[in-house]
Amino acid sequence: MVKKAKHALIILGAGPAGLTAALYAARYKLDFITIGRVAGGYMMEAHEVENFPGTGKISGPELSQKIFSQLKDLEHEPVRDDIQAIKKENGTIHLYGATEEYKTTHLILALGTERKQLNIPGEQEFLGKGVSYCATCDGFFFKEKTVAVIGGGDSALTAALYLGDVADKVYLIARKDELAGDPSWQEKIRTHKNIETVLGTNVKEICGNEKVEKIILDNGPGEIAVDGVFIEIGLTPSSALLDNLGVSRDEKNYIIVDSRQKTSIPGVWAAGDATTASNKLKQIVTACSEGAVAATDIFQEIKKQK
Ligand code: NDP
């Protein structure tokens, strides 16, 4: 393992929280690096963002690109690596990547969330053969076909709207009797000619031979013939890396932070969708805000130490 120089700050995660923390850290002229596995995080999968102030309607990748170019102007570029473990020893935090070891005294965890799974028969078997968790990434393969989107929140609504313009027919299947997402998306769903909403219904099984052919429901039509199934039933904090670090988390695994984004471990801050901050609202704007607060608190702490 190649040992790298120790930095005053490492930002782990290159989604909106991590990138905004980087923007602030660069302007504060801190000695820092940003490490990310997927540049842009889940923001890259948002085909349309309509509620980020100042940009108007913009795609997630476009918004990411804007932040990256702002960082480039500040001569900062995130490092791409997949951190496998984090350990704190005698005040130093060690991060172990694929082949490199990074060290720091201040860490911002901006790890984001992972997609929830339905855990029904056929979900794993047909993954990549009709089952997908990302409409923006895989929607194109279902041009002029029939697909189902499962879920009733913003992820499902935005996926259905995106797919409604690509596929011939989209069934939006939610288990409650009404949709839960943003009323503006709901209105668009109601008036979209390719989208049919099926409420109060669970998908019990995904069936097919070589690829997805139909879904079995516990209500309504009983089964529907589809070519694809998009599972959009929510997000859960990414936590695999946190166990040996011992960061306190709530009963749903969210990282507990205070109003300065500090975690229970001295030297470790957290920002973005995986924290208890911002009333757990998972929006790009709140992730950015938490990243800014964390970087600023670290800047002030480092200044005091000098
Ligand atoms: P949410 O938790 O908001 O919604 C999850 C949906 O999936 C609910 O309708 C829920 O139903 C349903 N669900 C959960 N488990 C199951 C299951 N086992 N079977 C069937 N249905 C299930 O998650 P989202 O991913 O939609 O959104 C997460 C966050 O990301 C939100 O804060 C959202 O606002 C944000 N987001 C914002 C976007 C934007 O602004 N552009 C786009 C996408 C997401 P039930 O209500 O019955 O539990």
Side-chain angles (χ1 to χ4, degrees), residues 46 48-51 115-118 150-156 158 173-176 180 185 201-202 232-235 273 280-283:
E48 208 165 86
V49 179
E50 289 190 1
N51 51 8
R115 297 200 182 280
K116 278 193 202 157
Q117 302 191 348
L118 267 176
I150 303 167
D154 284 336
S155 297
T158 52
I173 302 171
R175 64 182 176 184
K176 289 229 170 85
W185 302 123
T201 301
N202 284 286
E232 299 280 359
I233 59 165
L235 308 165
D273 286 0
K280 291 190 185 172
L281 181 62
K282 296 184 196 64
Q283 298 286 306

PDB file of all heavy atoms in Angstrom, residues 46 48-51 115-118 150-156 158 173-176 180 185 201-202 232-235 273 280-283, ligand 1:
ATOM      1  N   ALA A  46     -29.903  12.247 -11.549  1.00  0.00           N
ATOM      2  CA  ALA A  46     -31.119  13.065 -11.607  1.00  0.00           C
ATOM      3  C   ALA A  46     -31.253  13.639 -13.012  1.00  0.00           C
ATOM      4  O   ALA A  46     -30.442  14.457 -13.426  1.00  0.00           O
ATOM      5  CB  ALA A  46     -31.049  14.189 -10.582  1.00  0.00           C
ATOM      6  N   GLU A  48     -33.541  15.539 -14.079  1.00  0.00           N
ATOM      7  CA  GLU A  48     -34.013  16.920 -14.052  1.00  0.00           C
ATOM      8  C   GLU A  48     -34.059  17.412 -12.605  1.00  0.00           C
ATOM      9  O   GLU A  48     -34.624  16.756 -11.744  1.00  0.00           O
ATOM     10  CB  GLU A  48     -35.421  16.965 -14.640  1.00  0.00           C
ATOM     11  CG  GLU A  48     -35.746  18.282 -15.270  1.00  0.00           C
ATOM     12  CD  GLU A  48     -36.981  18.154 -16.143  1.00  0.00           C
ATOM     13  OE1 GLU A  48     -38.091  18.288 -15.618  1.00  0.00           O
ATOM     14  OE2 GLU A  48     -36.805  17.884 -17.339  1.00  0.00           O
ATOM     15  N   VAL A  49     -33.435  18.542 -12.337  1.00  0.00           N
ATOM     16  CA  VAL A  49     -33.512  19.174 -11.023  1.00  0.00           C
ATOM     17  C   VAL A  49     -34.218  20.499 -11.239  1.00  0.00           C
ATOM     18  O   VAL A  49     -33.794  21.296 -12.070  1.00  0.00           O
ATOM     19  CB  VAL A  49     -32.095  19.400 -10.438  1.00  0.00           C
ATOM     20  CG1 VAL A  49     -32.164  20.074  -9.077  1.00  0.00           C
ATOM     21  CG2 VAL A  49     -31.324  18.078 -10.351  1.00  0.00           C
ATOM     22  N   GLU A  50     -35.314  20.710 -10.506  1.00  0.00           N
ATOM     23  CA  GLU A  50     -36.096  21.936 -10.742  1.00  0.00           C
ATOM     24  C   GLU A  50     -36.118  22.843  -9.518  1.00  0.00           C
ATOM     25  O   GLU A  50     -36.692  23.915  -9.561  1.00  0.00           O
ATOM     26  CB  GLU A  50     -37.537  21.586 -11.121  1.00  0.00           C
ATOM     27  CG  GLU A  50     -37.665  20.984 -12.499  1.00  0.00           C
ATOM     28  CD  GLU A  50     -39.111  20.873 -12.955  1.00  0.00           C
ATOM     29  OE1 GLU A  50     -40.012  21.276 -12.223  1.00  0.00           O
ATOM     30  OE2 GLU A  50     -39.311  20.365 -14.068  1.00  0.00           O
ATOM     31  N   ASN A  51     -35.509  22.326  -8.394  1.00  0.00           N
ATOM     32  CA  ASN A  51     -35.663  23.089  -7.161  1.00  0.00           C
ATOM     33  C   ASN A  51     -34.337  23.573  -6.594  1.00  0.00           C
ATOM     34  O   ASN A  51     -34.237  23.858  -5.405  1.00  0.00           O
ATOM     35  CB  ASN A  51     -36.425  22.248  -6.118  1.00  0.00           C
ATOM     36  CG  ASN A  51     -35.819  20.872  -5.951  1.00  0.00           C
ATOM     37  OD1 ASN A  51     -34.765  20.601  -6.502  1.00  0.00           O
ATOM     38  ND2 ASN A  51     -36.473  20.019  -5.208  1.00  0.00           N
ATOM     39  N   ARG A 115     -29.426   2.643  -2.446  1.00  0.00           N
ATOM     40  CA  ARG A 115     -30.829   2.390  -2.791  1.00  0.00           C
ATOM     41  C   ARG A 115     -31.374   1.197  -2.008  1.00  0.00           C
ATOM     42  O   ARG A 115     -30.695   0.197  -1.838  1.00  0.00           O
ATOM     43  CB  ARG A 115     -30.926   2.079  -4.283  1.00  0.00           C
ATOM     44  CG  ARG A 115     -30.484   3.254  -5.108  1.00  0.00           C
ATOM     45  CD  ARG A 115     -31.028   3.134  -6.503  1.00  0.00           C
ATOM     46  NE  ARG A 115     -30.557   4.239  -7.301  1.00  0.00           N
ATOM     47  CZ  ARG A 115     -31.099   5.437  -7.270  1.00  0.00           C
ATOM     48  NH1 ARG A 115     -32.109   5.692  -6.496  1.00  0.00           N
ATOM     49  NH2 ARG A 115     -30.630   6.397  -8.042  1.00  0.00           N
ATOM     50  N   LYS A 116     -32.624   1.343  -1.564  1.00  0.00           N
ATOM     51  CA  LYS A 116     -33.280   0.223  -0.874  1.00  0.00           C
ATOM     52  C   LYS A 116     -33.713  -0.816  -1.904  1.00  0.00           C
ATOM     53  O   LYS A 116     -34.041  -0.463  -3.035  1.00  0.00           O
ATOM     54  CB  LYS A 116     -34.526   0.718  -0.150  1.00  0.00           C
ATOM     55  CG  LYS A 116     -34.253   1.343   1.178  1.00  0.00           C
ATOM     56  CD  LYS A 116     -35.584   1.473   1.909  1.00  0.00           C
ATOM     57  CE  LYS A 116     -35.515   2.520   2.969  1.00  0.00           C
ATOM     58  NZ  LYS A 116     -36.816   3.048   3.328  1.00  0.00           N
ATOM     59  N   GLN A 117     -33.738  -2.055  -1.452  1.00  0.00           N
ATOM     60  CA  GLN A 117     -34.184  -3.131  -2.346  1.00  0.00           C
ATOM     61  C   GLN A 117     -35.546  -3.646  -1.909  1.00  0.00           C
ATOM     62  O   GLN A 117     -35.896  -3.557  -0.733  1.00  0.00           O
ATOM     63  CB  GLN A 117     -33.165  -4.264  -2.315  1.00  0.00           C
ATOM     64  CG  GLN A 117     -31.792  -3.762  -2.733  1.00  0.00           C
ATOM     65  CD  GLN A 117     -30.812  -4.880  -2.971  1.00  0.00           C
ATOM     66  OE1 GLN A 117     -31.062  -6.024  -2.624  1.00  0.00           O
ATOM     67  NE2 GLN A 117     -29.684  -4.536  -3.563  1.00  0.00           N
ATOM     68  N   LEU A 118     -36.284  -4.208  -2.846  1.00  0.00           N
ATOM     69  CA  LEU A 118     -37.606  -4.736  -2.524  1.00  0.00           C
ATOM     70  C   LEU A 118     -37.534  -6.084  -1.832  1.00  0.00           C
ATOM     71  O   LEU A 118     -38.421  -6.444  -1.077  1.00  0.00           O
ATOM     72  CB  LEU A 118     -38.396  -4.931  -3.827  1.00  0.00           C
ATOM     73  CG  LEU A 118     -39.282  -3.802  -4.306  1.00  0.00           C
ATOM     74  CD1 LEU A 118     -39.877  -4.184  -5.656  1.00  0.00           C
ATOM     75  CD2 LEU A 118     -40.398  -3.505  -3.327  1.00  0.00           C
ATOM     76  N   ILE A 150     -41.571   1.255  -9.453  1.00  0.00           N
ATOM     77  CA  ILE A 150     -42.155   0.923  -8.154  1.00  0.00           C
ATOM     78  C   ILE A 150     -41.736   1.956  -7.120  1.00  0.00           C
ATOM     79  O   ILE A 150     -40.532   2.245  -6.966  1.00  0.00           O
ATOM     80  CB  ILE A 150     -41.725  -0.501  -7.731  1.00  0.00           C
ATOM     81  CG1 ILE A 150     -42.161  -1.486  -8.824  1.00  0.00           C
ATOM     82  CG2 ILE A 150     -42.350  -0.876  -6.387  1.00  0.00           C
ATOM     83  CD1 ILE A 150     -41.557  -2.840  -8.714  1.00  0.00           C
ATOM     84  N   GLY A 151     -42.719   2.521  -6.388  1.00  0.00           N
ATOM     85  CA  GLY A 151     -42.453   3.525  -5.361  1.00  0.00           C
ATOM     86  C   GLY A 151     -43.384   4.704  -5.543  1.00  0.00           C
ATOM     87  O   GLY A 151     -43.976   4.875  -6.623  1.00  0.00           O
ATOM     88  N   GLY A 152     -43.489   5.537  -4.494  1.00  0.00           N
ATOM     89  CA  GLY A 152     -44.423   6.663  -4.573  1.00  0.00           C
ATOM     90  C   GLY A 152     -43.792   7.991  -4.206  1.00  0.00           C
ATOM     91  O   GLY A 152     -44.470   9.009  -4.161  1.00  0.00           O
ATOM     92  N   GLY A 153     -42.472   8.010  -3.930  1.00  0.00           N
ATOM     93  CA  GLY A 153     -41.773   9.242  -3.544  1.00  0.00           C
ATOM     94  C   GLY A 153     -41.189   9.966  -4.756  1.00  0.00           C
ATOM     95  O   GLY A 153     -41.452   9.599  -5.908  1.00  0.00           O
ATOM     96  N   ASP A 154     -40.373  10.977  -4.484  1.00  0.00           N
ATOM     97  CA  ASP A 154     -39.805  11.792  -5.572  1.00  0.00           C
ATOM     98  C   ASP A 154     -38.966  10.968  -6.544  1.00  0.00           C
ATOM     99  O   ASP A 154     -38.969  11.233  -7.753  1.00  0.00           O
ATOM    100  CB  ASP A 154     -38.933  12.913  -4.990  1.00  0.00           C
ATOM    101  CG  ASP A 154     -39.779  14.030  -4.412  1.00  0.00           C
ATOM    102  OD1 ASP A 154     -40.939  14.171  -4.836  1.00  0.00           O
ATOM    103  OD2 ASP A 154     -39.277  14.745  -3.535  1.00  0.00           O
ATOM    104  N   SER A 155     -38.223   9.975  -6.023  1.00  0.00           N
ATOM    105  CA  SER A 155     -37.388   9.166  -6.932  1.00  0.00           C
ATOM    106  C   SER A 155     -38.266   8.449  -7.946  1.00  0.00           C
ATOM    107  O   SER A 155     -37.966   8.436  -9.146  1.00  0.00           O
ATOM    108  CB  SER A 155     -36.582   8.115  -6.156  1.00  0.00           C
ATOM    109  OG  SER A 155     -35.693   8.724  -5.281  1.00  0.00           O
ATOM    110  N   ALA A 156     -39.356   7.837  -7.459  1.00  0.00           N
ATOM    111  CA  ALA A 156     -40.245   7.094  -8.362  1.00  0.00           C
ATOM    112  C   ALA A 156     -40.942   8.056  -9.334  1.00  0.00           C
ATOM    113  O   ALA A 156     -41.053   7.758 -10.529  1.00  0.00           O
ATOM    114  CB  ALA A 156     -41.276   6.316  -7.549  1.00  0.00           C
ATOM    115  N   THR A 158     -39.962  11.064 -10.438  1.00  0.00           N
ATOM    116  CA  THR A 158     -39.060  11.614 -11.460  1.00  0.00           C
ATOM    117  C   THR A 158     -38.624  10.516 -12.434  1.00  0.00           C
ATOM    118  O   THR A 158     -38.481  10.762 -13.629  1.00  0.00           O
ATOM    119  CB  THR A 158     -37.831  12.314 -10.831  1.00  0.00           C
ATOM    120  OG1 THR A 158     -37.220  11.424  -9.911  1.00  0.00           O
ATOM    121  CG2 THR A 158     -38.206  13.588 -10.121  1.00  0.00           C
ATOM    122  N   ILE A 173     -46.290   2.089  -9.803  1.00  0.00           N
ATOM    123  CA  ILE A 173     -46.982   1.231  -8.830  1.00  0.00           C
ATOM    124  C   ILE A 173     -46.564   1.610  -7.412  1.00  0.00           C
ATOM    125  O   ILE A 173     -45.384   1.495  -7.041  1.00  0.00           O
ATOM    126  CB  ILE A 173     -46.651  -0.255  -9.115  1.00  0.00           C
ATOM    127  CG1 ILE A 173     -47.069  -0.581 -10.564  1.00  0.00           C
ATOM    128  CG2 ILE A 173     -47.355  -1.174  -8.119  1.00  0.00           C
ATOM    129  CD1 ILE A 173     -46.623  -1.927 -11.052  1.00  0.00           C
ATOM    130  N   ALA A 174     -47.532   2.089  -6.613  1.00  0.00           N
ATOM    131  CA  ALA A 174     -47.233   2.511  -5.239  1.00  0.00           C
ATOM    132  C   ALA A 174     -48.095   1.715  -4.269  1.00  0.00           C
ATOM    133  O   ALA A 174     -49.247   1.398  -4.574  1.00  0.00           O
ATOM    134  CB  ALA A 174     -47.491   4.001  -5.085  1.00  0.00           C
ATOM    135  N   ARG A 175     -47.520   1.432  -3.090  1.00  0.00           N
ATOM    136  CA  ARG A 175     -48.271   0.566  -2.172  1.00  0.00           C
ATOM    137  C   ARG A 175     -49.335   1.323  -1.369  1.00  0.00           C
ATOM    138  O   ARG A 175     -50.269   0.725  -0.874  1.00  0.00           O
ATOM    139  CB  ARG A 175     -47.324  -0.188  -1.247  1.00  0.00           C
ATOM    140  CG  ARG A 175     -46.524   0.677  -0.313  1.00  0.00           C
ATOM    141  CD  ARG A 175     -45.586  -0.171   0.523  1.00  0.00           C
ATOM    142  NE  ARG A 175     -44.746   0.652   1.374  1.00  0.00           N
ATOM    143  CZ  ARG A 175     -43.802   0.175   2.147  1.00  0.00           C
ATOM    144  NH1 ARG A 175     -43.556  -1.128   2.161  1.00  0.00           N
ATOM    145  NH2 ARG A 175     -43.081   0.972   2.906  1.00  0.00           N
ATOM    146  N   LYS A 176     -49.167   2.640  -1.234  1.00  0.00           N
ATOM    147  CA  LYS A 176     -50.197   3.425  -0.522  1.00  0.00           C
ATOM    148  C   LYS A 176     -51.309   3.834  -1.499  1.00  0.00           C
ATOM    149  O   LYS A 176     -51.155   3.682  -2.711  1.00  0.00           O
ATOM    150  CB  LYS A 176     -49.569   4.691   0.055  1.00  0.00           C
ATOM    151  CG  LYS A 176     -48.643   4.421   1.235  1.00  0.00           C
ATOM    152  CD  LYS A 176     -48.970   5.339   2.419  1.00  0.00           C
ATOM    153  CE  LYS A 176     -48.236   4.928   3.672  1.00  0.00           C
ATOM    154  NZ  LYS A 176     -46.892   5.475   3.746  1.00  0.00           N
ATOM    155  N   ALA A 180     -46.687  10.009  -2.706  1.00  0.00           N
ATOM    156  CA  ALA A 180     -46.136  10.803  -1.607  1.00  0.00           C
ATOM    157  C   ALA A 180     -45.246  11.953  -2.081  1.00  0.00           C
ATOM    158  O   ALA A 180     -44.994  12.881  -1.335  1.00  0.00           O
ATOM    159  CB  ALA A 180     -45.327   9.877  -0.699  1.00  0.00           C
ATOM    160  N   TRP A 185     -44.594  17.212  -9.298  1.00  0.00           N
ATOM    161  CA  TRP A 185     -44.317  16.014 -10.107  1.00  0.00           C
ATOM    162  C   TRP A 185     -45.625  15.218 -10.278  1.00  0.00           C
ATOM    163  O   TRP A 185     -45.899  14.685 -11.336  1.00  0.00           O
ATOM    164  CB  TRP A 185     -43.295  15.100  -9.446  1.00  0.00           C
ATOM    165  CG  TRP A 185     -41.943  15.658  -9.116  1.00  0.00           C
ATOM    166  CD1 TRP A 185     -41.359  15.693  -7.876  1.00  0.00           C
ATOM    167  CD2 TRP A 185     -40.970  16.207 -10.004  1.00  0.00           C
ATOM    168  NE1 TRP A 185     -40.111  16.248  -7.951  1.00  0.00           N
ATOM    169  CE2 TRP A 185     -39.844  16.568  -9.241  1.00  0.00           C
ATOM    170  CE3 TRP A 185     -40.952  16.447 -11.384  1.00  0.00           C
ATOM    171  CZ2 TRP A 185     -38.707  17.146  -9.784  1.00  0.00           C
ATOM    172  CZ3 TRP A 185     -39.806  17.019 -11.938  1.00  0.00           C
ATOM    173  CH2 TRP A 185     -38.714  17.364 -11.140  1.00  0.00           C
ATOM    174  N   THR A 201     -50.978  -1.071  -4.152  1.00  0.00           N
ATOM    175  CA  THR A 201     -50.570  -2.364  -4.718  1.00  0.00           C
ATOM    176  C   THR A 201     -49.084  -2.642  -4.483  1.00  0.00           C
ATOM    177  O   THR A 201     -48.243  -1.764  -4.673  1.00  0.00           O
ATOM    178  CB  THR A 201     -50.859  -2.366  -6.248  1.00  0.00           C
ATOM    179  OG1 THR A 201     -52.240  -2.130  -6.428  1.00  0.00           O
ATOM    180  CG2 THR A 201     -50.460  -3.658  -6.914  1.00  0.00           C
ATOM    181  N   ASN A 202     -48.787  -3.855  -4.052  1.00  0.00           N
ATOM    182  CA  ASN A 202     -47.387  -4.294  -3.905  1.00  0.00           C
ATOM    183  C   ASN A 202     -47.018  -5.220  -5.050  1.00  0.00           C
ATOM    184  O   ASN A 202     -47.870  -5.986  -5.528  1.00  0.00           O
ATOM    185  CB  ASN A 202     -47.219  -5.083  -2.605  1.00  0.00           C
ATOM    186  CG  ASN A 202     -47.203  -4.176  -1.406  1.00  0.00           C
ATOM    187  OD1 ASN A 202     -46.224  -3.476  -1.167  1.00  0.00           O
ATOM    188  ND2 ASN A 202     -48.289  -4.161  -0.654  1.00  0.00           N
ATOM    189  N   GLU A 232     -37.625   2.105  -7.159  1.00  0.00           N
ATOM    190  CA  GLU A 232     -37.293   3.459  -6.652  1.00  0.00           C
ATOM    191  C   GLU A 232     -38.011   3.645  -5.321  1.00  0.00           C
ATOM    192  O   GLU A 232     -38.897   4.485  -5.190  1.00  0.00           O
ATOM    193  CB  GLU A 232     -37.772   4.523  -7.659  1.00  0.00           C
ATOM    194  CG  GLU A 232     -37.146   4.430  -9.039  1.00  0.00           C
ATOM    195  CD  GLU A 232     -35.756   5.046  -9.103  1.00  0.00           C
ATOM    196  OE1 GLU A 232     -35.283   5.570  -8.081  1.00  0.00           O
ATOM    197  OE2 GLU A 232     -35.151   5.003 -10.196  1.00  0.00           O
ATOM    198  N   ILE A 233     -37.621   2.834  -4.319  1.00  0.00           N
ATOM    199  CA  ILE A 233     -38.406   2.820  -3.074  1.00  0.00           C
ATOM    200  C   ILE A 233     -37.659   3.460  -1.901  1.00  0.00           C
ATOM    201  O   ILE A 233     -37.974   3.190  -0.747  1.00  0.00           O
ATOM    202  CB  ILE A 233     -38.849   1.385  -2.717  1.00  0.00           C
ATOM    203  CG1 ILE A 233     -37.634   0.470  -2.545  1.00  0.00           C
ATOM    204  CG2 ILE A 233     -39.821   0.847  -3.753  1.00  0.00           C
ATOM    205  CD1 ILE A 233     -37.950  -0.833  -1.856  1.00  0.00           C
ATOM    206  N   GLY A 234     -36.713   4.321  -2.183  1.00  0.00           N
ATOM    207  CA  GLY A 234     -36.091   5.061  -1.091  1.00  0.00           C
ATOM    208  C   GLY A 234     -34.615   4.776  -0.940  1.00  0.00           C
ATOM    209  O   GLY A 234     -34.032   3.955  -1.656  1.00  0.00           O
ATOM    210  N   LEU A 235     -34.054   5.479   0.010  1.00  0.00           N
ATOM    211  CA  LEU A 235     -32.602   5.482   0.184  1.00  0.00           C
ATOM    212  C   LEU A 235     -32.264   5.181   1.634  1.00  0.00           C
ATOM    213  O   LEU A 235     -33.014   5.543   2.535  1.00  0.00           O
ATOM    214  CB  LEU A 235     -32.053   6.864  -0.190  1.00  0.00           C
ATOM    215  CG  LEU A 235     -32.485   7.401  -1.558  1.00  0.00           C
ATOM    216  CD1 LEU A 235     -32.199   8.886  -1.677  1.00  0.00           C
ATOM    217  CD2 LEU A 235     -31.788   6.631  -2.677  1.00  0.00           C
ATOM    218  N   ASP A 273     -26.834  13.448   2.679  1.00  0.00           N
ATOM    219  CA  ASP A 273     -28.031  12.614   2.895  1.00  0.00           C
ATOM    220  C   ASP A 273     -27.912  11.603   4.035  1.00  0.00           C
ATOM    221  O   ASP A 273     -28.926  11.130   4.539  1.00  0.00           O
ATOM    222  CB  ASP A 273     -28.359  11.830   1.606  1.00  0.00           C
ATOM    223  CG  ASP A 273     -28.953  12.724   0.533  1.00  0.00           C
ATOM    224  OD1 ASP A 273     -29.110  13.936   0.783  1.00  0.00           O
ATOM    225  OD2 ASP A 273     -29.251  12.206  -0.552  1.00  0.00           O
ATOM    226  N   LYS A 280     -33.300  15.642   8.035  1.00  0.00           N
ATOM    227  CA  LYS A 280     -33.162  14.478   7.138  1.00  0.00           C
ATOM    228  C   LYS A 280     -33.745  14.723   5.739  1.00  0.00           C
ATOM    229  O   LYS A 280     -34.056  13.783   5.010  1.00  0.00           O
ATOM    230  CB  LYS A 280     -33.787  13.220   7.746  1.00  0.00           C
ATOM    231  CG  LYS A 280     -33.042  12.684   8.954  1.00  0.00           C
ATOM    232  CD  LYS A 280     -33.584  11.323   9.325  1.00  0.00           C
ATOM    233  CE  LYS A 280     -32.950  10.806  10.590  1.00  0.00           C
ATOM    234  NZ  LYS A 280     -33.583   9.592  11.077  1.00  0.00           N
ATOM    235  N   LEU A 281     -33.928  15.977   5.373  1.00  0.00           N
ATOM    236  CA  LEU A 281     -34.402  16.277   4.021  1.00  0.00           C
ATOM    237  C   LEU A 281     -33.251  15.956   3.059  1.00  0.00           C
ATOM    238  O   LEU A 281     -32.148  16.465   3.219  1.00  0.00           O
ATOM    239  CB  LEU A 281     -34.783  17.763   3.925  1.00  0.00           C
ATOM    240  CG  LEU A 281     -35.318  18.245   2.590  1.00  0.00           C
ATOM    241  CD1 LEU A 281     -36.614  17.515   2.222  1.00  0.00           C
ATOM    242  CD2 LEU A 281     -35.584  19.744   2.623  1.00  0.00           C
ATOM    243  N   LYS A 282     -33.545  15.087   2.096  1.00  0.00           N
ATOM    244  CA  LYS A 282     -32.469  14.673   1.177  1.00  0.00           C
ATOM    245  C   LYS A 282     -32.622  15.426  -0.136  1.00  0.00           C
ATOM    246  O   LYS A 282     -33.269  14.967  -1.062  1.00  0.00           O
ATOM    247  CB  LYS A 282     -32.540  13.169   0.941  1.00  0.00           C
ATOM    248  CG  LYS A 282     -32.281  12.372   2.191  1.00  0.00           C
ATOM    249  CD  LYS A 282     -32.278  10.899   1.864  1.00  0.00           C
ATOM    250  CE  LYS A 282     -32.402  10.063   3.103  1.00  0.00           C
ATOM    251  NZ  LYS A 282     -33.688  10.257   3.798  1.00  0.00           N
ATOM    252  N   GLN A 283     -32.025  16.579  -0.173  1.00  0.00           N
ATOM    253  CA  GLN A 283     -32.083  17.410  -1.368  1.00  0.00           C
ATOM    254  C   GLN A 283     -30.667  17.882  -1.679  1.00  0.00           C
ATOM    255  O   GLN A 283     -29.822  17.951  -0.784  1.00  0.00           O
ATOM    256  CB  GLN A 283     -32.970  18.632  -1.099  1.00  0.00           C
ATOM    257  CG  GLN A 283     -34.407  18.282  -0.771  1.00  0.00           C
ATOM    258  CD  GLN A 283     -35.199  17.832  -1.992  1.00  0.00           C
ATOM    259  OE1 GLN A 283     -35.256  18.530  -2.985  1.00  0.00           O
ATOM    260  NE2 GLN A 283     -35.799  16.663  -1.922  1.00  0.00           N
TER     261      GLN A 283
HETATM  262  P1  NDP B   1     -38.873   8.175  -0.162  1.00  0.00           P
HETATM  263  O1  NDP B   1     -38.512   7.528   1.132  1.00  0.00           O
HETATM  264  O2  NDP B   1     -39.267   9.594  -0.176  1.00  0.00           O
HETATM  265  O3  NDP B   1     -40.098   7.361  -0.794  1.00  0.00           O
HETATM  266  C1  NDP B   1     -40.025   5.973  -0.910  1.00  0.00           C
HETATM  267  C2  NDP B   1     -41.288   5.476  -1.584  1.00  0.00           C
HETATM  268  O4  NDP B   1     -41.133   4.086  -1.825  1.00  0.00           O
HETATM  269  C3  NDP B   1     -42.551   5.647  -0.737  1.00  0.00           C
HETATM  270  O5  NDP B   1     -43.628   5.870  -1.581  1.00  0.00           O
HETATM  271  C4  NDP B   1     -42.652   4.286  -0.054  1.00  0.00           C
HETATM  272  O6  NDP B   1     -43.954   3.910   0.254  1.00  0.00           O
HETATM  273  C5  NDP B   1     -42.169   3.377  -1.143  1.00  0.00           C
HETATM  274  N1  NDP B   1     -41.655   2.139  -0.591  1.00  0.00           N
HETATM  275  C6  NDP B   1     -40.710   1.978   0.372  1.00  0.00           C
HETATM  276  N2  NDP B   1     -40.493   0.673   0.597  1.00  0.00           N
HETATM  277  C7  NDP B   1     -41.329   0.011  -0.241  1.00  0.00           C
HETATM  278  C8  NDP B   1     -41.569  -1.352  -0.486  1.00  0.00           C
HETATM  279  N3  NDP B   1     -40.917  -2.305   0.179  1.00  0.00           N
HETATM  280  N4  NDP B   1     -42.494  -1.690  -1.411  1.00  0.00           N
HETATM  281  C9  NDP B   1     -43.166  -0.730  -2.099  1.00  0.00           C
HETATM  282  N5  NDP B   1     -42.968   0.590  -1.919  1.00  0.00           N
HETATM  283  C10 NDP B   1     -42.059   0.943  -1.002  1.00  0.00           C
HETATM  284  O7  NDP B   1     -37.647   7.863  -1.130  1.00  0.00           O
HETATM  285  P2  NDP B   1     -37.224   8.535  -2.514  1.00  0.00           P
HETATM  286  O8  NDP B   1     -36.111   7.681  -3.026  1.00  0.00           O
HETATM  287  O9  NDP B   1     -38.373   8.747  -3.394  1.00  0.00           O
HETATM  288  O10 NDP B   1     -36.654   9.944  -2.109  1.00  0.00           O
HETATM  289  C11 NDP B   1     -35.566  10.018  -1.184  1.00  0.00           C
HETATM  290  C12 NDP B   1     -35.182  11.477  -0.990  1.00  0.00           C
HETATM  291  O11 NDP B   1     -34.585  11.980  -2.182  1.00  0.00           O
HETATM  292  C13 NDP B   1     -36.374  12.377  -0.681  1.00  0.00           C
HETATM  293  O12 NDP B   1     -36.003  13.336   0.270  1.00  0.00           O
HETATM  294  C14 NDP B   1     -36.659  13.021  -2.005  1.00  0.00           C
HETATM  295  O13 NDP B   1     -37.285  14.297  -1.868  1.00  0.00           O
HETATM  296  C15 NDP B   1     -35.266  13.148  -2.595  1.00  0.00           C
HETATM  297  N6  NDP B   1     -35.343  13.198  -4.067  1.00  0.00           N
HETATM  298  C16 NDP B   1     -35.432  14.433  -4.660  1.00  0.00           C
HETATM  299  C17 NDP B   1     -35.521  14.554  -6.025  1.00  0.00           C
HETATM  300  C18 NDP B   1     -35.585  15.921  -6.643  1.00  0.00           C
HETATM  301  O14 NDP B   1     -35.907  16.879  -5.955  1.00  0.00           O
HETATM  302  N7  NDP B   1     -35.270  16.094  -7.910  1.00  0.00           N
HETATM  303  C19 NDP B   1     -35.522  13.369  -6.907  1.00  0.00           C
HETATM  304  C20 NDP B   1     -35.453  12.129  -6.183  1.00  0.00           C
HETATM  305  C21 NDP B   1     -35.377  12.068  -4.825  1.00  0.00           C
HETATM  306  P3  NDP B   1     -44.585   4.170   1.695  1.00  0.00           P
HETATM  307  O15 NDP B   1     -44.956   5.625   1.689  1.00  0.00           O
HETATM  308  O16 NDP B   1     -45.721   3.245   1.727  1.00  0.00           O
HETATM  309  O17 NDP B   1     -43.528   3.846   2.705  1.00  0.00           O
END
